[in-house]
């Protein structure tokens, strides 16, 4: 068995309205509660970081699957959305929507179906998606463009 260890150092000051900092191997940024949740909105926050983790894992997985399937991609980009519900003062991360935009040169109906299947497979096999399964709904809205 191979196990990978990732570490992060964090600090925080001043209670709910305070700020902090996170430092990892390739990440160093300020953190606070977002303005939308009545915080100072300085740096990033757990909601953005969860969305970022899910989106980057999905995008990297999708790129790998497309490459392994020998699909010539001219451009691969993505928008991601995270939805947090607040009911009776309880915050619940409900849903993430991945919106990949895949540009290819030749797009037959067969190729479009292959890409759609790979986009779905990327969501199902991404490590972060699997970690969130059962707690956060993750959907994909794939846009395939022929150039």
């Amino acid at each position: 068995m191979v196990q990978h260890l990732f570490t992060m150092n964090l600090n925080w000051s001043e209670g709910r309205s305070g700020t902090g900092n996170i430092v990892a191997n390739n990440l160093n940024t300020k953190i606070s509660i977002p303005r939308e949740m009545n915080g100072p909105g300085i740096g990033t926050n757990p909601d953005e970081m969860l969305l970022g983790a899910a989106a980057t894992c999905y995008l990297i997985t999708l790129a790998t699957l497309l490459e392994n399937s020998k699909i010539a991609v001219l451009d691969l980009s993505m928008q991601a959305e995270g939805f947090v519900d607040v009911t009776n003062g309880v915050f619940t991360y409900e849903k993430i929507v991945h919106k990949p935009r895949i540009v290819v040169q030749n797009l037959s109906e067969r190729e479009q179906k292959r890409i759609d299947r790979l986009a779905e497979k990327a969501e199902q096999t991404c490590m972060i998606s699997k970690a969130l399964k059962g707690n956060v709904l993750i959907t994909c809205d794939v846009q395939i463009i022929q150039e």
Side-chain angles (χ1 to χ4, degrees), residues 8 79 81 88 100 103 105 108 112 120 128 133 137-138:
M8 182 178 284
Q79 179 186 16
E81 300 174 335
N88 299 323
V103 180
Q105 192 161 22
S108 65
Q112 181 162 354
E120 185 178 320
I128 303 299
K133 192 172 189 147
L137 175 66
I138 301 177

Side-chain angles (χ1 to χ4, degrees), residues 47 51 54-55 78-84 93-99 136-139 141:
D47 308 284
L51 180 60
M78 191 172 93
Q79 179 186 16
E81 300 174 335
F83 296 85
V84 176
Y93 215 114
E94 286 191 327
K95 178 175 155 182
I96 292 173
V97 180
H98 298 308
K99 296 181 174 183
V136 178
L137 175 66
I138 301 177
T139 62
D141 182 9

Side-chain angles (χ1 to χ4, degrees), residues 111-127:
E111 194 78 348
Q112 181 162 354
K113 287 179 182 178
R114 281 182 69 211
I115 294 170
D116 281 332
R117 280 194 307 271
L118 292 171
E120 185 178 320
K121 183 177 180 180
E123 190 275 313
Q124 293 168 354
T125 59
C126 161
M127 175 178 64

Side-chain angles (χ1 to χ4, degrees), residues 38-89:
N38 299 316
I42 297 170
T44 191
N45 57 70
D47 308 284
E48 287 178 341
M49 291 185 65
L50 181 64
L51 180 60
T56 55
C57 184
Y58 173 80
L59 189 61
I60 291 168
T61 304
L62 177 58
T64 301
L65 291 173
L66 290 166
E67 179 182 56
N68 290 345
S69 297
K70 309 256 187 284
I71 295 174
V73 176
L74 301 176
D75 185 63
L76 177 60
S77 59
M78 191 172 93
Q79 179 186 16
E81 300 174 335
F83 296 85
V84 176
D85 176 70
V86 183
T87 301
N88 299 323

